[in-house]
Amino acid sequence: MEEKLEREKKIEGWLPINADRSAKWWSSAFHNVTAMVGAGVLGLPYAMSQLGWGPGVTLLILSWIITLYTLWQMVEMHEMVPGKRFDRYHELSQHAFGEKLGLYIVVPQQVIVMLGGNIVYMVIGGTSLQKFHDIVCPSCKKIRLTFFIMIFASAQFVLSHLPNFNSISGVSLVAAIMSICYSTIAWVASAHKGVQENVQYSNNATTTTNLVFNLFNAIGSVAFAYAGHSVVLEIQATIPSTTENPSKVAMWKGVVVAYIIVALCYWPVAIIGYWMFGNEVKDNILISLEKPTWMIAMANFFVVFHVIGSYQVFAMPMFDMLESVLVRKLNFEPSIMLRFVVRNLYVAFTMFIAITFPFFGGLLGFFGGFAVTPTTYFLPCIIWLKIYNPKRFSLSWCTNWICIVLGLCIIILAPIGALRNIILEAKTYQFYT
């Protein structure tokens, strides 16, 4: 028994999530910014063009409010049991629903969010690198997207060997700064370009079917823009905690700062981007912008640096999960070699899938609706209701049920539109071009 406890202690000290609990509140701020801002912000003007002014602005602000509320719930629940910390999303779910059911509810969804996010970041990283290359050297020979995704992946092969979550703080800080830079460039360059001639704000779908499916896809794109919840408990696990100064105080401070930054990144890009280009805006706002050339090149370069950090924030909990299974269930010894093999294989897998299916807009909508929605919009509410059991029809009870109903609508509608977009693009797509 003593030997078993000693081994468990050794494993806990080796796994990347809670190996180092020395983070400050600002670490949680830029981890959260890095986890959320990225793929989402570039697709928001396009989502607005599918939704229109009223529904678009409403959904953008409503999503911000709901996800801030559910994030607050998770921060509060991190240490609700005295003397215990729920360092991982599935541990909180297991406390609410039981050992097995809690695992089955959260782990598949969390894996889809983080794995899906990493695949999308691979695609964005490669696409932005390609755009940067084409702008800087228009006379150069065109290089296939496949090779740019591989170049982006090479950085991940190196950074993935940083040992724990706290060790990627520097990477995350740079990524957060980059997100602010390219978001600012996106809306400033849009405003500089001005309202386009004959701009129209009506949906340009040719049939009712296209209109409905595009609307569903846009809902998923907005949902994906707030994708940080799947790693929030893991981020909080890096913050020290005492009875006098629990981790939720520092974590919440970081979350509030992060959400202010998110609003300053998202809202101007979405509103100004749509205002300037109307229904002709591309699914990546930077593609719609061609001048000033140097500014667009820099924006794409900043995107690359941002998604390098975003990939790491999403990958670290995946590494923790994989390494935990290997050492706990399959009895591998915690070692540098095990970590080296596991992490390289994971990066290689995400690279392969990204190269094979680089459908940017469709991927955003699909992963946004199918995976991000439960972990972000309504699962924290269900756990809250299960654990705290607020009085029926009280403010807490009503608020949580409203979030659950809206979340269920998103998870039903968004993947339908996204899957259709992926199928349409796949008809004309040639693999590995």
Side-chain angles (χ1 to χ4, degrees):
M1 185 67 180
E2 204 172 299
E3 191 180 323
K4 193 175 180 181
L5 285 170
E6 190 62 36
R7 174 175 163 77
E8 184 60 28
K9 191 177 178 183
K10 182 185 175 184
I11 289 169
E12 281 293 306
W14 180 75
L15 290 172
I17 294 301
N18 46 12
D20 184 356
R21 296 191 192 270
S22 60
K24 306 296 182 186
W25 71 265
W26 55 80
S27 296
S28 76
F30 48 75
H31 279 319
N32 277 291
V33 170
T34 303
M36 271 184 283
V37 185
V41 70
L42 300 176
L44 287 177
Y46 180 75
M48 287 281 291
S49 73
Q50 305 302 319
L51 292 163
W53 279 118
V57 173
T58 302
L59 187 60
L60 199 65
I61 296 171
L62 197 61
S63 293
W64 188 88
I65 294 167
I66 290 171
T67 55
L68 180 58
Y69 170 68
T70 54
L71 199 51
W72 168 79
Q73 288 180 310
M74 295 190 73
V75 170
E76 285 291 312
M77 291 189 286
H78 180 78
E79 289 177 285
M80 63 185 164
V81 177
K84 181 172 175 60
R85 298 181 68 172
F86 297 111
D87 293 331
R88 298 162 182 85
Y89 205 143
H90 69 81
E91 291 175 5
L92 178 62
S93 180
Q94 285 173 304
H95 177 72
F97 305 114
E99 286 293 317
K100 283 194 173 179
L101 182 60
L103 210 61
Y104 296 150
I105 289 172
V106 164
V107 171
Q109 294 182 63
Q110 198 178 11
V111 167
I112 291 170
V113 172
M114 294 185 297
L115 183 61
N118 283 152
I119 293 166
V120 171
Y121 290 138
M122 279 279 184
V123 175
I124 296 165
T127 306
S128 298
L129 266 177
Q130 186 182 45
K131 182 76 173 172
F132 175 77
H133 171 267
D134 292 347
I135 292 171
V136 171
C137 188
S139 60
C140 292
K141 184 183 176 183
K142 298 296 178 186
I143 301 173
R144 296 190 313 190
L145 177 60
T146 299
F147 294 114
F148 284 107
I149 293 175
M150 291 169 74
I151 292 166
F152 177 82
S154 65
Q156 303 305 339
F157 278 113
V158 175
L159 292 172
S160 291
H161 297 294
L162 289 168
N164 54 59
F165 213 135
N166 212 28
S167 68
I168 64 168
S169 293
V171 178
S172 200
L173 173 61
V174 171
I177 293 168
M178 293 297 106
S179 69
I180 296 167
C181 290
Y182 74 72
S183 297
T184 304
I185 286 174
W187 69 261
V188 167
S190 295
H192 180 266
K193 201 172 180 73
V195 178
Q196 298 303 287
E197 195 177 342
N198 300 321
V199 68
Q200 293 184 356
Y201 302 108
S202 58
N203 199 295
N204 59 3
T206 51
T207 64
T208 306
T209 307
N210 284 344
L211 177 69
V212 172
F213 280 116
N214 288 345
L215 182 68
F216 292 170
N217 189 48
I219 291 169
S221 295
V222 175
F224 187 87
Y226 300 91
H229 291 53
S230 60
V231 295
V232 70
L233 291 177
E234 288 81 352
I235 293 169
Q236 194 168 346
T238 65
I239 297 173
S241 186
T242 61
T243 310
E244 301 78 30
N245 194 18
S247 64
K248 68 180 182 181
V249 177
M251 184 65 184
W252 180 240
K253 192 176 178 182
V255 166
V256 170
V257 171
Y259 258 73
I260 291 169
I261 293 170
V262 166
L264 293 174
C265 288
Y266 283 9
W267 298 350
V269 173
I271 293 167
I272 294 173
Y274 179 44
W275 184 16
M276 298 302 144
F277 295 100
N279 57 20
E280 294 301 314
V281 71
K282 305 295 183 185
D283 67 350
N284 180 337
I285 182 66
L286 296 181
I287 296 173
S288 296
L289 296 165
E290 294 168 1
K291 291 179 181 178
T293 307
W294 66 268
M295 190 181 280
I296 308 308
M298 287 303 295
N300 279 281
F301 196 61
F302 291 154
V303 171
V304 174
F305 273 91
H306 175 78
V307 292
I308 284 172
S310 299
Y311 185 99
Q312 286 303 311
V313 170
F314 273 49
M316 200 56 76
M318 281 298 297
F319 297 152
D320 182 86
M321 213 178 280
L322 293 167
E323 289 163 13
S324 181
V325 169
L326 289 169
V327 297
R328 284 191 171 125
K329 303 293 183 186
L330 302 177
N331 294 317
F332 280 85
E333 276 299 311
S335 66
I336 294 172
M337 183 51 69
L338 177 66
R339 186 162 274 172
F340 180 81
V341 172
V342 168
R343 297 186 179 191
N344 279 342
L345 285 174
Y346 178 82
V347 175
F349 176 75
T350 55
M351 179 185 72
F352 172 74
I353 299 298
I355 287 170
T356 309
F357 306 106
F359 310 126
F360 182 77
L363 283 172
L364 275 184
F366 185 74
F367 288 122
F370 184 66
V372 173
T373 308
T375 53
T376 302
Y377 285 79
F378 64 84
L379 195 53
C381 297
I382 293 171
I383 294 173
W384 187 274
L385 291 172
K386 174 78 174 169
I387 292 170
Y388 292 108
N389 195 24
K391 188 179 178 182
R392 184 170 289 199
F393 302 117
S394 65
L395 180 62
S396 176
W397 188 90
C398 291
T399 304
N400 283 297
W401 273 108
I402 289 168
C403 293
I404 290 166
V405 170
L406 288 172
L408 286 171
C409 291
I410 293 171
I411 197 174
I412 292 165
L413 301 177
I416 298 170
L419 196 58
R420 179 176 178 271
N421 275 12
I422 291 172
I423 291 166
L424 289 174
E425 287 186 47
K427 284 181 179 178
T428 56
Y429 178 71
Q430 293 183 336
F431 285 99
Y432 310 115
T433 54

